[in-house]
Amino acid sequence: MMDRERFPIDPWRLVETRFSEKDLGVTETIFASGNGYFGMRADYPEGSAAHEQGTFVNGFHETWPIQHAEGAYGFAEVGQTIVNVPDAKVMRVYVDDEPMSIDLADMAEYERSLDFRDATQRRQIRWVTATGKQVLLESNRLISFEDRHLAVMQMKVTVLNADAPVVVNCQVINRQDGEDEYGGRPKVAKAEGIADPRKSEKIRERVLIPQEHWQAGARSTLSYRTASSGMTLAVLADHVVETENDFESRGLIEPDIARNVFRIDAKAGVPVTVTKFVSYHSSRGVPAAELIDRGRRTLDRAMSEGIDTHFVRQRAWLDAFWERSDVRVSGNDALQQAIRWCLLQIAMASARADGWGVPAKGMTGSGYSGHYFWDTEVYVMPFLDYTSPRWARNALRARSTMLPAARRRASQLSEAGALIPWRTINGEEASAYYAAGTAQFHINADVAYALVKYVRATGDEKFMAEQGVDILVETARLWSTLGFWRGGEFHIHGVTGPDEYTTVVNDNLFTNVMARFNLRAASRVVQQMAERAPDMHRAMSERLGVRPDEVDSWEKMGAAMFIPYSEEAGIHPQDALFLERELWDLENTPDSQRPLLLHFHPLVIYRFQVLKQADVVLAQFLQGDWFTPEEKLADFEYYDPLTTADSTLSGVAQAVMAAEVGYQDLALEYFEHSLFVDLADLHHNAADGVHIAAAGGVWMALVNGFGGMRDFAGKLSFDPRLPESWQDLRFPLTWHGTRLEVTLTRDEIVVAAGEGEEVGFSVRGEDFVVRPGERVAVALTSQGPVRPGKPAIRRHDDDSLYPRAIVPPTPDEADLIPEFGELGE
């Protein structure tokens, strides 16, 4: 998968030993750093040779009018795109007035790393200039988890074998649509090609309107207001020079660029270190001048505390993170390296979001326009619930603040309650393609599921009563009007499930299963509030206008929810008509036509039984206590061969369920694919940013899949599936504030408890209790059922159920079809 000579195995670092221009976009992504509030791609401080010189602030976006070829009532009208904010990473180095250009330099040594223990990017280069001078360049880049607005960057320059004039030119540059300060494009630009909905939109008009800018000594300030969304931003940079060499400094400030230049008379072997402190502050409406004042305070505090303090604090912060989060697999450092990289990505995307959501790409790239999706609730939140519950709470608060917009959207679609958008930054729906976007009503239930799961894991009933219940009530109300009664059953029509290759269908199983959960959860939480917290219940009822008969109706709708099942096929159809479609022959679809969404019109894909992701399988993972083991096996064996893996989300659910039903080798295969999807660029789009949901899914595959952990009905349970090639699996969990350490081997599972309350759990149906300071060991007679190989496409004699498998012609086959002229002859 990875070139291990260039990217050697190190369980605590991602390391690169050789520079290459061929995959700049990928390395900028996988070595990126961030803290949940802002992030920086790993483009080089020299400011050249970049795929996307990106710095992104969570939630800082521009809006633009969506131009529909044919408009209709209720279509999303305003798009939202994350803004590539002014770049403060630039620290250019000149020796003898010769610029260090990473793509042209003669480098005798090169190493770049992302250290998982402090989330710091480090680089060491020995550069040989054209005149034979050997220059050692050592740089660090840290984005603070303790201070969400602060980045610290260092450049240490040592001319090893001669005296020489050295210049370090530190800049803050506002680039518009990727332009550099000279009005040109990066040397390595994004490839132009077919339309890809996974990429960010480009706004050609001016986005950032300059506001106040000034320079005082070594401190520079730029500030802006977005042209359409009206958001404001300030970026400030200050500098400290440490050297025994003589040096002087000068500055330059313009609306779109600030320079602080340091000229050093460097003696042989005498280093110069320039430390750059940078602060980003943004707002939905506060004037830029106020943000500048905030940035001043950030820098004043950071510089007074000393440079080393920030690196020490960062290490302490990450030590605590790994103590409660690290998942360990003994004897396989390659897997361990990738696992820790994935878990760090989640921290860098969510830790300091503090009221914003978790973008699909974090702050590592512009892919998906910086939008928030349901990915967060289903794939990222479980990790947060069990390791860093405060971050999970903050993510839920972000959804809560968006309820007013969701209510407006539901009303626009003639529904009650709230409709949570499929993709958004500011709470408004930003998807222009409603069939695969707005029609994904299941997001309401996904958010409700995440809320209940959080409360189950933490016991935070106060949050549920004060904020969470609003989400439950308003999401349940939507199902009550979207669905309808027929023959004593409750149906939901005209929706799209997680599988975007099958859109606008009736009785989508995933949607119905999750809506059932949503309706019943809302009913029961409201009833429990009435019994246990009457004052809070009264306030909630007045605030939301909840009626007792309304609450009763949710329970009835949930209990009567129609769950499609085919007695003839012995499986749950994905939707009412899914089994009537033709089968797509994936085995004979060439890799050159994958992913399908980039090579076939949606109307072609929609006619077939072919899945971007197996949402029946996902439903049976999330709501596994509603399905029998036999149903799970039958459904997995049917849908797995029809699933393309075009979505980075799909492999995660398939890994978990493959492990549960016994396809253990296949589970490991799916897990490893998800684990390396970005590190090895398996989907060829890692250049657009990290797949944060896939990273979260890695934790799910480990803990839920191989560890067999579930929390159905609020009870912790384990049914392990340790891969045959693994010695053990160890992971921490936090359950209602008590830290648990789980160790799984082939012969036993051990649960140890730290400080807190006693915790009840079960292993394969047998109940246990572990008390603080104690450990409980449970013997295992097996690791569950084992089934060889992988499922194959099921055929059936009844053509009405299983039509012939076909695949659209490949380009080569299409060339063999006669043209009209030939037919005329």
Side-chain angles (χ1 to χ4, degrees):
M1 288 184 180
M2 299 181 69
D3 178 354
R4 287 306 185 179
E5 182 179 341
R6 182 181 170 201
F7 300 102
I9 296 170
D10 183 324
W12 280 105
R13 295 189 307 156
L14 179 65
V15 183
E16 181 188 36
T17 61
R18 185 179 71 252
F19 169 78
S20 175
E21 276 192 285
K22 294 180 180 179
D23 58 355
L24 278 175
V26 175
T27 56
E28 287 170 13
T29 292
I30 64 177
F31 285 94
S33 49
N35 64 6
Y37 171 65
F38 76 106
M40 295 177 170
R41 286 175 62 81
D43 47 282
Y44 291 91
E46 291 76 24
S48 58
H51 175 90
E52 182 180 32
Q53 291 160 316
T55 301
F56 302 97
V57 174
N58 193 355
F60 188 77
H61 68 280
E62 178 64 312
T63 55
W64 46 277
I66 297 174
Q67 300 296 326
H68 295 280
E70 295 184 26
Y73 177 80
F75 279 12
E77 298 177 349
V78 180
Q80 305 150 39
T81 301
I82 196 168
V83 175
N84 194 340
V85 301
D87 182 8
K89 299 184 296 293
V90 180
M91 301 178 76
R92 291 183 170 139
V93 176
Y94 302 79
V95 175
D96 289 333
D97 292 330
E98 178 183 342
M100 165 59 182
S101 185
I102 192 74
D103 50 333
L104 301 174
D106 179 4
M107 292 180 285
E109 296 175 9
Y110 174 96
E111 181 181 283
R112 176 168 58 165
S113 67
L114 176 64
D115 195 319
F116 309 150
R117 291 163 295 196
D118 59 9
T120 297
Q121 183 199 133
R122 295 182 172 86
R123 192 190 66 168
Q124 181 169 304
I125 294 174
R126 186 157 59 89
W127 165 39
V128 181
T129 70
T131 58
K133 292 185 173 64
Q134 295 194 23
V135 184
L136 180 63
L137 300 176
E138 300 167 276
S139 61
N140 299 325
R141 184 182 297 165
L142 173 150
I143 296 181
S144 174
F145 284 103
E146 289 281 0
D147 189 333
R148 71 193 292 251
H149 299 282
L150 179 68
V152 181
M153 291 164 275
Q154 286 186 319
M155 178 68 73
K156 183 178 181 181
V157 184
T158 308
V159 184
L160 300 173
N161 61 344
D163 296 349
V166 171
V167 173
V168 180
N169 184 348
C170 296
Q171 302 181 10
V172 180
I173 306 171
N174 175 36
R175 299 183 174 95
Q176 172 68 13
D177 256 351
E179 293 181 354
D180 61 24
E181 66 272 35
Y182 306 111
R185 294 283 173 177
K187 184 169 184 178
V188 179
K190 288 186 176 180
E192 297 295 332
I194 56 179
D196 187 341
R198 300 168 298 180
K199 294 185 180 293
S200 175
E201 299 84 2
K202 290 296 180 183
I203 302 174
R204 294 300 174 183
E205 294 76 19
R206 175 90 192 195
V207 171
L208 295 177
I209 308 302
Q211 305 294 291
E212 181 179 342
H213 63 278
W214 51 260
Q215 198 169 57
R219 181 170 294 187
S220 298
T221 297
L222 300 176
S223 62
Y224 302 88
R225 175 181 53 81
T226 54
S228 181
S229 69
M231 297 192 72
T232 48
L233 175 89
V235 52
L236 287 80
D238 210 337
H239 306 78
V240 174
V241 180
E242 298 173 288
T243 185
E244 295 180 3
N245 298 302
D246 294 332
F247 74 93
E248 62 180 23
S249 62
R250 64 179 179 85
L252 177 146
I253 187 77
E254 296 176 358
D256 287 321
I257 187 168
R259 293 189 180 96
N260 290 92
V261 182
F262 305 96
R263 298 173 174 174
I264 305 102
D265 294 325
K267 303 299 183 183
V270 181
V272 55
T273 301
V274 179
T275 302
K276 185 176 188 179
F277 294 86
V278 178
S279 175
Y280 286 91
H281 283 263
S282 63
S283 173
R284 296 177 176 90
V286 169
E290 164 65 18
L291 299 183
I292 291 173
D293 287 342
R294 297 178 188 178
R296 281 172 167 166
R297 293 193 291 270
T298 298
L299 293 186
D300 289 345
R301 181 176 61 253
M303 298 180 74
S304 68
E305 291 169 340
I307 296 168
D308 294 339
T309 300
H310 302 288
F311 291 91
V312 171
R313 285 180 179 171
Q314 186 86 334
R315 176 59 184 265
W317 193 98
L318 265 299
D319 284 346
F321 168 77
W322 289 117
E323 183 181 354
R324 65 180 186 269
S325 309
D326 194 19
V327 181
R328 288 142 289 164
V329 177
S330 299
N332 195 325
D333 284 349
L335 285 184
Q336 192 65 72
Q337 178 187 44
I339 290 168
R340 287 182 175 135
W341 181 86
C342 287
L343 300 185
L344 179 61
Q345 296 307 311
I346 308 173
M348 293 196 300
S350 62
R352 298 309 309 275
D354 293 9
W356 288 101
V358 180
K361 296 290 188 179
M363 274 61 68
T364 63
S366 60
Y368 291 115
S369 303
H371 290 165
Y372 314 137
F373 291 78
W374 65 286
D375 308 13
T376 298
E377 282 73 26
V378 172
Y379 294 93
V380 178
M381 287 279 288
F383 170 74
L384 304 184
D385 290 337
Y386 288 103
T387 61
S388 302
R390 180 172 292 276
W391 307 353
R393 189 177 189 272
N394 286 340
L396 290 168
R397 287 187 65 247
R399 287 296 194 187
S400 178
T401 62
M402 295 179 185
L403 267 181
R407 291 186 181 106
R408 291 193 297 272
R409 184 62 172 160
S411 176
Q412 193 175 35
L413 270 70
S414 305
E415 306 297 346
L419 174 55
I420 297 173
W422 180 57
R423 59 189 300 174
T424 190
I425 298 176
N426 61 14
E428 304 288 347
E429 178 62 76
S431 174
Y433 186 52
Y434 74 88
T438 299
Q440 293 199 42
F441 292 91
H442 67 85
I443 294 176
N444 266 30
D446 302 336
V447 174
Y449 167 83
L451 169 63
V452 172
K453 192 175 183 70
Y454 162 76
V455 176
R456 281 178 179 171
T458 64
D460 190 357
E461 296 179 357
K462 185 174 184 291
F463 177 79
M464 175 64 86
E466 292 180 347
Q467 297 184 53
V469 68
D470 293 45
I471 295 175
L472 283 183
V473 166
E474 297 290 35
T475 52
R477 280 173 166 164
L478 177 123
W479 301 118
S480 69
T481 59
L482 182 66
F484 64 98
W485 291 92
R486 175 177 293 167
E489 296 173 326
F490 196 73
H491 295 261
I492 301 173
H493 285 185
V495 303
T496 298
D499 171 34
E500 295 161 22
Y501 285 175
T502 314
T503 65
V504 193
V505 298
N506 295 342
D507 288 320
N508 169 257
L509 180 129
F510 181 92
T511 302
N512 286 17
V513 165
M514 296 299 288
R516 174 177 62 187
F517 172 86
N518 191 170
L519 287 161
R520 301 187 76 182
S523 174
R524 295 184 182 187
V525 166
V526 171
Q527 290 173 0
Q528 289 169 2
M529 286 181 64
E531 297 168 2
R532 303 177 190 175
D535 290 343
M536 286 186 168
H537 177 267
R538 189 178 307 107
M540 178 274 300
S541 298
E542 293 176 358
R543 182 171 70 248
L544 301 175
V546 174
R547 307 180 314 276
D549 63 317
E550 183 181 21
V551 177
D552 292 340
S553 71
W554 298 336
E555 179 66 34
K556 293 175 183 177
M557 292 171 190
M561 184 68 67
F562 177 75
I563 306 299
Y565 184 78
S566 169
E567 294 287 352
E568 296 85 354
I571 63 167
H572 291 88
Q574 182 170 292
D575 60 72
L577 298 179
F578 187 81
L579 295 182
E580 298 182 16
R581 298 185 178 93
E582 297 177 277
L583 288 168
W584 188 300
D585 189 359
L586 282 178
E587 293 179 356
N588 294 310
T589 302
D591 290 342
S592 61
Q593 292 185 295
R594 309 283 284 273
L596 302 185
L597 64 93
L598 298 186
H599 299 278
F600 297 94
H601 192 284
L603 289 177
V604 175
I605 298 173
Y606 297 164
R607 293 199 300 268
F608 291 88
Q609 290 187 48
V610 63
L611 313 180
K612 188 179 180 187
Q613 53 186 311
D615 54 10
V616 171
V617 174
L618 178 59
Q620 292 180 336
F621 164 43
L622 301 182
Q623 295 289 288
D625 50 343
W626 286 85
F627 298 90
T628 68
E630 293 76 18
E631 288 174 335
K632 293 176 186 178
L633 175 61
D635 288 342
F636 181 84
E637 289 184 332
Y638 187 82
Y639 288 105
D640 186 71
L642 302 179
T643 306
T644 61
D646 288 351
S647 168
T648 59
L649 304 181
S650 188
V652 173
Q654 287 168 279
V656 173
M657 293 307 295
E660 180 174 339
V661 302
Y663 285 98
Q664 297 195 15
D665 290 341
L666 183 59
L668 187 59
E669 180 182 325
Y670 280 132
F671 164 71
E672 291 182 348
H673 182 93
S674 298
L675 185 63
F676 288 97
V677 71
D678 288 316
L679 288 172
D681 194 21
L682 298 181
H683 283 227
H684 311 296
N685 65 343
D688 297 329
V690 171
H691 293 85
I692 298 299
V698 163
W699 183 88
M700 293 165 63
L702 287 162
V703 174
N704 300 125
F706 304 135
M709 188 273 279
R710 300 290 189 274
D711 61 358
F712 297 141
K715 183 176 182 180
L716 197 60
S717 66
F718 299 92
D719 187 2
R721 300 288 192 270
L722 187 69
E724 187 175 2
S725 58
W726 292 11
Q727 300 174 26
D728 56 34
L729 173 65
R730 303 167 188 267
F731 53 89
L733 294 173
T734 300
W735 180 262
H736 287 233
T738 299
R739 183 76 50 80
L740 303 177
E741 185 72 25
V742 181
T743 302
L744 173 63
T745 64
R746 303 207 68 77
D747 301 322
E748 68 176 3
I749 181 171
V750 178
V751 179
E755 294 182 0
E757 303 294 328
E758 67 177 32
V759 175
F761 66 95
S762 66
V763 178
R764 294 178 179 167
E766 186 175 357
D767 293 332
F768 301 90
V769 173
V770 61
R771 295 175 176 82
E774 296 182 355
R775 61 196 296 273
V776 173
V778 182
L780 300 173
T781 58
S782 72
Q783 291 296 324
V786 178
R787 306 178 194 279
K790 61 179 66 177
I793 292 178
R794 279 179 53 184
R795 314 273 180 189
H796 197 280
D797 293 336
D798 184 352
D799 288 341
S800 68
L801 288 176
Y802 301 94
R804 61 189 180 89
I806 72 167
V807 61
T810 65
D812 291 339
E813 292 170 340
D815 291 341
L816 300 178
I817 299 174
E819 295 182 359
F820 288 117
E822 295 172 340
L823 291 174
E825 294 172 2

